[in-house]
Amino acid sequence: MSILLRVATAAVLFAPALSWAQTPATAPVAPKVTRADLAAAYMRVDAAYTKRETAKSISDSLRAQVNRTVDRAALSFFAGQFAAAVNTIDAAAAQLTGVATTPSPPSTGPRSLNGAPVSAARDEYLARLAVVDSTGPLAQALLSTRERAKLLVDVPSPERSAEFLNDPARLFRDLAREVSVLERGRDPYIGLVGDYWRVYRGANSVLVPMRIVVPPSANVRKPVGVLLVLHGAGGDENMFVDAYGSGIAPQLAAEQRLILVSPKTDIFGTTPEHFDALMALLRNEFRIDSTRVYVIGHSMGAGAAARLAQARPSQIAAVALLAGGSPITVANAPPSLFVGAELDGIIPAARVEAAAKASPGATYELFRYEGHLLMVGHGVRRAVPWLVTHTR
């Protein structure tokens, strides 16, 4: 859990005792429920649900009950009732595990590296990067490294997942290499395998955060494909990597020799030119198989995926739209798979089916006993094998 939240909790626990003369209005307030709390709660229920699914130990009735509970939490989230959302998500996890959630133990103070504040390493890296040419062919790489260095903060924001999810020790080591390579006039991301957060410059100089997972098989002479995954409203670029079926998307992508790229959908989905800039970046860094570029979108991300398929049909081999989407009617449209969830009260399955029927040649499937959020892991497991049967 985030350090800021723990500090706030400690401040409440160790505040001076109230006198009888004080009014309820001056009583300590509960710590604010943050994005870090919501992320932790969702990952708990996602992991529990995936474990039961993998073990085939979940009945249809329990599946339906848990999906309904989690979707109620989603409605609370969209209404701004974050504490209620966390409590409801944890109730769903308890339905799956039979055990109430145990709070994480408190942490002590800010983070440090080698006995010094984390920010000292950040400031050193940024000073070294300040003298690297930012206008030439290294511009995108320099941007990514600079933004990655900014994640080295003493106290991570509980509202920014790129900060509270990162491991400062690993990031410190990775940046040491990236900064050194840039200082030698080379791009540190060319052929780089692994899982890392970064930023690229899209259309009109807009910065697009993304999580990218490059399998070891990409660092060979044979071209590699791309799996673009677009999260739903309220999520971010980390959802498909760390959650949604306990991170099944990068695992399946690696098995199919696909680079998984998860951009922040609410920025990426605003114009297809962000896709153009992303593909140019990937082609500069890897040997990309342009016949194997696939897209999965969930909810808001499904709408963005459908618009992208409509705008760039010749560049996408196939697209999968989970619990959302709109008709894809352009000539030469890529094959499309629409998946609705029977219990979805946020984007009803009937709407997804209607979009599929309006899309020539589309395939529609219905997931029984599932709702809007927990269907994503199942959807990814269904979508990836279907997507890779198609090439452009």
Side-chain angles (χ1 to χ4, degrees):
M1 299 300 291
S2 70
I3 292 171
L4 281 181
L5 178 63
R6 292 166 183 152
V7 172
T9 303
V12 171
L13 290 176
F14 295 102
L18 290 174
S19 70
W20 288 109
Q22 289 176 301
T23 65
T26 64
V29 297
K32 175 187 175 183
V33 175
T34 67
R35 188 174 185 83
D37 299 309
L38 288 161
Y42 184 78
M43 289 174 70
R44 285 193 294 269
V45 75
D46 180 80
Y49 189 72
T50 303
K51 182 177 180 180
R52 294 289 296 264
E53 278 200 310
T54 302
K56 301 185 186 306
S57 62
I58 184 168
S59 65
D60 291 342
S61 60
L62 178 59
R63 184 188 299 273
Q65 180 184 18
V66 170
N67 273 270
R68 287 192 176 101
T69 303
V70 171
D71 279 4
R72 284 201 304 273
L75 292 173
S76 295
F77 168 77
F78 289 130
Q81 300 168 352
F82 295 164
V86 169
N87 289 338
T88 306
I89 291 172
D90 282 342
Q95 290 172 345
L96 290 161
T97 64
V99 179
T101 298
T102 302
S104 301
S107 181
T108 56
R111 302 181 299 182
S112 63
L113 287 167
N114 302 322
V118 172
S119 57
R122 174 198 64 206
D123 294 343
E124 177 188 345
Y125 286 140
L126 290 176
R128 290 168 62 184
L129 291 170
V131 297
V132 178
D133 179 20
S134 62
T135 61
L138 296 179
Q140 287 276 28
L142 179 61
L143 170 68
S144 276
T145 306
R146 184 184 295 120
E147 294 303 312
R148 281 166 55 74
K150 292 177 182 178
L151 297 180
L152 290 173
V153 294
D154 297 332
V155 180
S157 167
E159 304 300 338
R160 190 182 182 207
S161 61
E163 288 186 13
F164 64 72
L165 289 175
N166 91 80
D167 175 358
R170 178 201 161 185
L171 182 58
F172 174 78
R173 294 190 300 269
D174 290 347
L175 283 167
R177 184 194 71 85
E178 293 164 30
V179 173
S180 178
V181 172
L182 280 165
E183 289 174 327
R184 297 197 299 271
R186 294 166 48 202
D187 188 332
Y189 301 105
I190 291 179
L192 179 64
V193 303
D195 171 6
Y196 44 98
W197 180 94
R198 61 184 291 195
V199 170
Y200 76 95
R201 195 177 301 282
N204 302 315
S205 296
V206 171
L207 303 189
V208 185
M210 66 177 176
R211 187 85 170 264
I212 181 169
V213 184
V214 183
S217 57
N219 197 16
V220 295
R221 297 182 62 85
K222 186 177 179 182
V224 64
V226 176
L227 176 61
L228 179 64
V229 289
L230 304 176
H231 64 81
D236 60 37
E237 64 274 16
N238 298 293
M239 290 292 291
F240 269 100
V241 181
D242 293 325
Y244 288 162
S246 294
I248 189 63
Q251 176 185 324
L252 295 179
E255 291 173 1
Q256 299 295 335
R257 296 194 70 254
L258 302 171
I259 295 174
L260 181 136
V261 183
S262 179
K264 198 168 190 306
T265 303
D266 43 339
I267 299 176
F268 179 85
T270 57
T271 171
E273 293 178 355
H274 290 327
F275 170 78
D276 301 338
L278 172 62
M279 293 308 299
L281 177 74
L282 294 175
R283 291 189 184 100
N284 179 63
E285 296 175 355
F286 302 95
R287 294 192 66 205
I288 297 298
D289 182 351
S290 59
T291 70
R292 300 178 68 236
V293 177
Y294 307 105
V295 185
I296 298 176
H298 169 243
S299 191
M300 176 186 73
R307 293 192 300 273
L308 182 59
Q310 187 82 3
R312 297 290 186 268
S314 64
Q315 297 185 47
I316 297 171
V319 58
L321 310 163
L322 311 178
S326 56
I328 304 172
T329 58
V330 66
N332 197 33
S336 55
L337 171 66
F338 288 76
V339 182
E342 181 184 31
L343 305 180
D344 191 340
I346 297 172
I347 300 183
R351 282 176 52 186
V352 182
E353 184 177 16
K357 288 180 176 178
S359 304
T363 299
Y364 174 74
E365 295 184 8
L366 177 68
F367 285 177
R368 300 286 308 280
Y369 312 111
E370 291 196 301
H372 190 72
L373 284 179
L374 291 180
M375 66 88 70
V376 185
H378 184 187
V380 171
R381 291 193 298 272
R382 173 66 185 101
V384 173
W386 182 89
L387 290 169
V388 299
T389 62
H390 302 87
T391 55
R392 201 63 189 166

